[in-house]
């Protein structure tokens, strides 16, 4: 009696799991037919979001490439860096011109004491400084102008590089299903235990 009951039960279980397996295969086949190859998805993303466009836009107008990449929070940082270096550049030029004029006026006054026209135009803060001090200050601020130009161009270039890098990384923004898990691992060759990092990609 038990054998007669057990045999139909086994057949029923086998039939059930066979149906599930067949259904899973059908679903997997449909997914493969409907899915787009990863190469085609990558090319579509790159075609829609061009690093070249990001580079050209950032080179023309700082922050435009970041706006193209939708990294709006970077735009104030870029303009702050360029604004500071630009302000320093303008102030250095102004100070350099004042020191150059003061040096030239004092030098002329030392040669021709009766010609004091330019001497009277020297700014009050530079009147107590001697000619040698004015010359050194003039040369020093001439170097400061060069440094400020270099930093301004550097920040402008970094703005372009940042836009290009962000545009390239757009292609690697796969999906929120990307996950990382830490699992214990065992190496039978060295007979040692350890930890393994497991990446799961689900499309």
């Amino acid at each position: 009696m038990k054998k007669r009951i057990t045999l139909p039960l086994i057949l029923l279980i086998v039939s059930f799991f066979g149906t599930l397996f067949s259904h899973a295969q059908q679903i997997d086949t449909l997914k493969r037919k409907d899915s787009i190859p990863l190469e085609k998805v990558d090319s579509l993303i790159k075609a829609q979001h061009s690093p070249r466009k990001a580079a050209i836009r950032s080179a023309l107008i700082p922050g435009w490439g970041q706006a193209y990449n939708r990294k709006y929070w970077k735009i104030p940082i870029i303009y702050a860096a360029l604004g500071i270096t630009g302000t320093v550049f303008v102030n250095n030029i102004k100070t350099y011109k004042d020191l150059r004029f003061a040096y030239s006026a004092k030098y002329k006054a030392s040669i021709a004491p009766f010609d004091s026209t330019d001497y009277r135009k020297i700014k009050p803060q530079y009147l107590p400084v001697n000619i040698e001090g004015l010359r050194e200050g003039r040369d020093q601020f001439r170097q400061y102008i060069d440094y400020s130009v270099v930093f301004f161009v550097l920040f402008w270039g970094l703005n372009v590089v940042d836009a290009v890098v962000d545009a390239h990384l757009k292609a690697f923004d796969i999906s929120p299903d990307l996950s990382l898990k830490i699992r214990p691992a065992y190496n039978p060759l060295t007979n040692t235990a350890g930890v393994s990092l497991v990446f799961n990609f689900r499309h």
Side-chain angles (χ1 to χ4, degrees), residues 1-10:
M1 186 68 179
K2 289 182 180 179
K3 290 182 181 180
R4 290 178 182 177
I5 295 173
T6 306
L7 186 60
L9 184 61
I10 292 172

Side-chain angles (χ1 to χ4, degrees), residues 158-170:
L158 288 175
N159 145 69
V160 177
V161 171
D162 176 75
V164 173
V165 171
D166 277 341
H168 275 295
L169 291 178
K170 283 285 184 181

Side-chain angles (χ1 to χ4, degrees), residues 73-93:
W73 62 273
K74 292 185 177 181
I75 297 175
I77 298 174
I78 292 169
Y79 276 96
L82 292 175
I84 291 170
T85 52
T87 303
V88 170
F89 171 73
V90 172
N91 288 336
N92 286 338
I93 287 181

Side-chain angles (χ1 to χ4, degrees), residues 12-157:
L12 182 63
I13 292 171
V14 171
S15 176
F16 175 74
F17 281 105
T19 304
L20 283 178
F21 181 73
S22 176
H23 183 63
Q25 279 187 328
Q26 290 177 358
I27 291 173
D28 187 58
T29 304
L30 289 172
K31 283 183 177 179
R32 287 179 182 176
K33 287 181 180 179
D34 295 338
S35 61
I36 302 173
L38 288 176
E39 294 82 4
K40 192 173 288 186
V41 171
D42 186 53
S43 63
L44 285 172
I45 292 172
K46 287 182 178 178
Q48 291 174 358
H49 202 90
S50 170
R52 184 172 176 272
K53 289 181 180 179
I56 293 172
R57 294 182 183 194
S58 281
L60 293 175
I61 302 175
W64 191 9
Q66 283 70 20
Y68 174 70
N69 294 331
R70 296 184 180 179
K71 295 294 180 69
Y72 303 106
W73 62 273
K74 292 185 177 181
I75 297 175
I77 298 174
I78 292 169
Y79 276 96
L82 292 175
I84 291 170
T85 52
T87 303
V88 170
F89 171 73
V90 172
N91 288 336
N92 286 338
I93 287 181
K94 185 176 179 298
T95 306
Y96 167 75
K97 287 181 177 179
D98 291 341
L99 286 168
R100 185 181 63 181
F101 179 81
Y103 170 78
S104 176
K106 280 200 172 186
Y107 182 78
K108 287 178 182 178
S110 64
I111 296 174
F114 298 103
D115 186 9
S116 60
T117 306
D118 289 342
Y119 190 90
R120 294 173 184 175
K121 296 178 182 178
I122 297 174
K123 291 191 174 181
Q125 63 265 33
Y126 300 126
L127 284 173
V129 184
N130 57 30
I131 295 178
E132 188 63 25
L134 290 172
R135 186 185 64 80
E136 290 178 359
R138 180 201 63 184
D139 295 342
Q140 190 173 18
F141 271 88
R142 184 67 186 87
Q143 290 182 347
Y144 289 165
I145 291 172
D146 295 337
Y147 294 153
S148 57
V149 169
V150 169
F151 278 106
F152 186 83
V153 174
L154 178 64
F155 282 123
W156 195 298

